[in-house]
Amino acid sequence: MGLVSSTPLLQEARKNGYGIVAFNVHTLEMMQAVVDAAEESRSPLILQSTVGTVKHLGMDYLVACARVAAEKATVPIALHLDHCQDFDLIVRCMRAGYTSVMIDASMHPFEENVQRTKKVVEVAKAIGVNVEAELGKVGGVEDDIVVDEADALLADPLECVEFIERTGVPTLAPAIGTAHGIYKGEPNIDFHRIEEIYNRVGIPLVLHGGSGIPAEQVRRCVSLGMAKMNVATELKNAFSESIKQSFLNDPSELDPRKYMVPAKEAVKQLAKQKMELCGCFGRA
């Protein structure tokens, strides 16, 4: 069916109380694995790439592979650019075929975040591309963006309302206590803040730092209004650990097709677990 905008998918998720999982993929095999997981579970899917992955694989290669996957799939698939601070790169990705982009200006003062986000929304709206923005600062590391725990700030519910009204952004990632990467301890999620933001705004909310959040906390976040959950580190780790295990089992194996098969299976099974956890099984 081709790549679709994530806007209507996420609006449907918000309306019906489930979450759609967005997976950061770094190889063709990882992309194939999460698409297979979505097909088997009949789940809508958001493929994501970071700026680093765009630089590593190439924008055109990523779009071409995602388009082929979407055309062959029977579930809706969107392609999202995650955590981008560069307006020119965002525009190039939209022109290349990305159906969703994130402008991350959360490191700037509120007023500048509004202006930078509004600029992207104006361009994206004309071509039907979803835009995601961030308020507050999610801690941890995402590519070259590093936010120290001491600098991580939670989103203010009233600022969220003003931000959406002034920018027209269709999806928002408010900082609510999660972090990028794997948690050293249990995450300190502000559930009351999620509920208050959800009750004040009418657009889908996005949960960043989805890797390693305990299952019961994920379910609670989704039940309180998080319509999209990002998963990156756990997926990457499952893929890499499987390859490491393959070489431990047989150090002489030099055929990538042999060790990529179990790596793809590991990613697929993890993706299905996350989809089931967010309640998007059978929602395609």
Side-chain angles (χ1 to χ4, degrees):
M1 65 174 69
L3 291 168
V4 300
S5 170
S6 57
T7 303
L9 302 182
L10 294 171
Q11 289 172 341
E12 189 71 14
R14 175 188 163 97
K15 177 183 175 182
N16 292 291
Y18 61 90
I20 297 174
V21 192
F23 296 101
N24 281 44
V25 295
H26 305 287
T27 70
L28 172 62
E29 290 83 7
M30 292 179 75
M31 184 182 291
Q32 290 172 325
V34 295
V35 171
D36 287 347
E39 283 282 290
E40 290 182 13
S41 64
R42 307 303 305 155
S43 299
L45 173 66
I46 299 174
L47 297 170
Q48 288 192 166
S49 64
T50 62
V51 172
T53 303
V54 171
K55 293 176 180 177
H56 175 65
L57 293 179
M59 182 190 308
D60 293 334
Y61 280 97
L62 276 164
V63 172
C65 291
R67 277 180 173 156
V68 169
E71 286 165 3
K72 289 180 174 292
T74 58
V75 298
I77 298 176
L79 178 62
H80 177 74
L81 175 66
D82 198 23
H83 281 286
C84 188
Q85 303 174 21
D86 184 343
F87 177 78
D88 291 335
L89 178 59
I90 288 173
V91 172
R92 293 204 309 273
C93 283
M94 288 192 287
R95 286 175 175 167
Y98 276 73
T99 58
S100 179
V101 294
M102 180 185 182
I103 168 65
D104 185 359
S106 60
M107 70 295 301
H108 298 291
F110 179 81
E111 193 62 37
E112 186 171 352
N113 192 352
V114 167
Q115 296 308 317
R116 286 173 179 261
T117 301
K118 187 176 180 180
K119 186 178 178 182
V120 173
V121 170
E122 287 172 351
V123 177
K125 188 175 181 181
I127 54 176
V129 171
N130 183 65
V131 179
E132 180 181 319
E134 185 170 308
L135 264 187
K137 297 178 182 178
V138 177
V141 179
E142 181 75 26
D143 269 0
D144 297 328
I145 304 173
V146 181
V147 177
D148 188 85
E149 288 183 17
D151 295 326
L153 301 173
L154 301 186
D156 180 278
L158 293 178
E159 279 194 345
C160 289
V161 174
E162 181 184 352
F163 186 82
I164 293 165
E165 288 176 347
R166 293 179 60 188
T167 63
V169 72
T171 48
L172 181 68
I176 44 80
T178 56
H180 296 122
I182 297 295
Y183 297 92
K184 297 172 185 175
E186 195 162 292
N188 185 25
I189 298 174
D190 190 334
F191 296 106
H192 176 72
R193 189 175 300 264
I194 298 173
E195 186 172 21
E196 185 175 355
I197 294 171
Y198 174 83
N199 288 333
R200 288 181 179 273
V201 307
I203 66 172
L205 301 178
V206 181
L207 181 66
H208 279 231
S211 290
I213 299 177
E216 64 276 8
Q217 293 192 22
V218 170
R219 292 190 188 97
R220 189 173 178 190
C221 286
V222 171
S223 73
L224 292 174
M226 288 294 183
K228 172 178 180 259
M229 182 177 77
N230 292 1
V231 175
T233 305
E234 268 189 284
L235 204 71
K236 177 177 61 179
N237 289 359
F239 184 74
S240 299
E241 289 294 340
S242 175
I243 293 174
K244 285 167 63 177
Q245 188 59 50
S246 291
F247 282 120
L248 286 173
N249 293 341
D250 186 358
S252 65
E253 180 57 74
L254 299 177
D255 186 345
R257 294 169 297 180
K258 298 291 178 63
Y259 53 78
M260 285 297 182
V261 170
K264 284 175 65 175
E265 184 64 23
V267 169
K268 184 178 80 170
Q269 294 306 321
L270 177 61
K272 288 175 73 172
Q273 290 172 22
K274 296 298 182 182
M275 290 168 176
E276 184 174 21
L277 187 59
C278 287
C280 59
F281 263 39
R283 298 286 188 170

